[in-house]
Each structure stands twice: as structure tokens, then as C-alpha cells.
Amino acid sequence: MSGNYLPRNLLAESLGHAALKLMGWRIEGTLPKLDRYIAIGAHHTSNWDFVIFIAFKFVLRLNARWFGKHTIFRPPFGALMRAWGGIPIRRDRQVNTVEQAIQAFAEHRQFVLVLSPEGTRKKVERWKMGFYHIAMGANVPLVLAALDYQNKRVFIGPTFWPTGDEAADLKTIFEFYRPFVPKKPEYAFYGD
């Protein structure tokens, strides 16, 4: 078992279970027993995706980190977002987030980073490739996880090791996500 799991917190676990049950969601699949990886959470088309992710994180006791726009880290919720694993990102500054993430993997024996390649809840014409460059630079795999609104499930898929052939790897990744229906399907990008 990897060390990427938090100690039991009955309140957080109960809140996570209650939220998923109230919304009618379930978790399918199993996280890998690895110390370091990037979990791709896609497709990110709604604020509800975050609620489901936090409930999922609580239920599994996953010690995962995630990037969020710096504005959600302001009071009154900023401290809570950080406690839940959030790392504020300033998109208006020339900060190399990829290099910072690679360094974080280098500095920690156990590190899970959850990223949404869309980088926004709006319609996009392509995925941001930071997740891929971080995985290649840190030599860590990607865990493909999908939000399937049609079947109300978080589906934990395969562990995927990037090969360096970006086009071929993206084709494989998009094929995995194609069957899953996001909250707003018109915003989803499938590489087409």
C-alpha cells in the first residue's frame, strides 16, 4: 500500500460518503498502489466536478494535491482549500507551473497530483499539456479517472505511462475518455 492515504478522519469520510450518496454517485475501480502519480480528472465542465472530487478524496482518504485558480484561495475559504490539498496558481504571472510540479515530485517520495487538462470549466479547443510534460519530466505515470454523469460514477481507469510520443499517447488517452459523459457534454474536448 502506498503512503498516499490520510489517517482516518471519520468526519471527512462521513461527509464524503454522504455527499456521494445524496447526489447518487458511486466510485468504480481502484487506485494504483503507487507512491507517485498524476491523476487526470476529466472532463471538467462544471463546478459540481469539484464537489464530487472532494467527496471522492474524502471517501478514499487520498492525500492528493491539486491546482486551482488563486482567486478561490481567498478568505473565507482559502485556508480550507489549502487544507484539502489545493495549491494556488496565478495564471497572470510568468511562473513555470510544470517545473514547480516536477520539483515537487523530486522532493517527495509520496506525491499524488490531480489535474484537469482542460484547465477551465468552459469549452476548450485543446487540452493544456502541462499534465503530460509533468509526467514526462518527473517520470511518473498518469492515472486516468473519469467523471461519468450519465451513470453517476467516478470511474478509476488504467495507469498509463507516457511514451514520449505525445500524439500517440493523446490518442490513447482520448479513446479512454470518449465513452464518459460530462455534466456539460458540449464543453468536452475529445481530441477531434
Side-chain angles (χ1 to χ4, degrees):
M1 167 80 93
S2 83
N4 287 315
Y5 296 91
L6 297 168
R8 299 278 328 232
N9 179 329
L10 293 179
L11 176 60
E13 284 181 62
S14 297
L15 285 172
H17 280 290
L20 291 178
K21 184 176 182 176
L22 185 64
M23 293 185 295
W25 280 69
R26 67 188 185 283
I27 299 169
E28 289 185 10
T30 306
L31 289 169
K33 292 176 174 44
L34 298 171
D35 287 330
R36 301 176 338 131
Y37 58 89
I38 296 170
I40 297 177
H43 287 282
H44 183 33
T45 64
S46 163
N47 284 332
W48 284 106
D49 302 344
F50 179 75
V51 174
I52 294 163
F53 160 68
I54 292 296
F56 166 87
K57 179 177 162 42
F58 286 171
V59 167
L60 296 182
R61 299 183 5 241
L62 184 63
N63 186 17
R65 307 299 308 263
W66 49 275
F67 293 144
K69 193 157 95 173
H70 73 284
T71 55
I72 67 170
F73 292 88
R74 293 181 181 149
F77 300 111
L80 185 62
M81 295 294 164
R82 284 180 180 85
W84 288 349
I87 301 169
I89 296 297
R90 301 250 352 190
R91 294 182 186 152
D92 60 338
R93 296 191 178 157
Q94 293 294 339
V95 178
N96 191 326
T97 306
V98 169
E99 288 302 319
Q100 288 180 42
I102 291 170
Q103 186 63 35
F105 275 106
E107 293 171 356
H108 296 90
R109 192 177 69 76
Q110 297 166 331
F111 195 77
V112 173
L113 181 61
V114 177
L115 297 173
S116 293
E118 291 94 349
T120 182
R121 296 172 312 277
K122 300 173 185 156
K123 181 164 181 56
V124 296
E125 299 301 321
R126 63 180 179 80
W127 277 8
K128 294 181 180 290
M129 293 305 296
F131 75 94
Y132 190 85
H133 300 298
I134 295 166
M136 291 296 297
N139 193 30
V140 296
L142 302 168
V143 174
L144 308 182
L147 295 172
D148 183 7
Y149 277 82
Q150 185 173 22
N151 297 298
K152 291 197 170 188
R153 63 184 175 154
V154 175
F155 186 83
I156 304 166
T159 300
F160 179 84
W161 284 91
T163 66
D165 183 342
E166 188 175 300
D169 289 348
L170 280 177
K171 183 176 181 190
T172 301
I173 291 168
F174 285 130
E175 283 303 312
F176 167 78
Y177 284 103
R178 195 166 300 282
F180 301 104
V181 179
K183 176 84 169 156
K184 297 178 181 176
E186 66 275 16
Y187 289 0
F189 178 71
Y190 294 98
D192 304 325

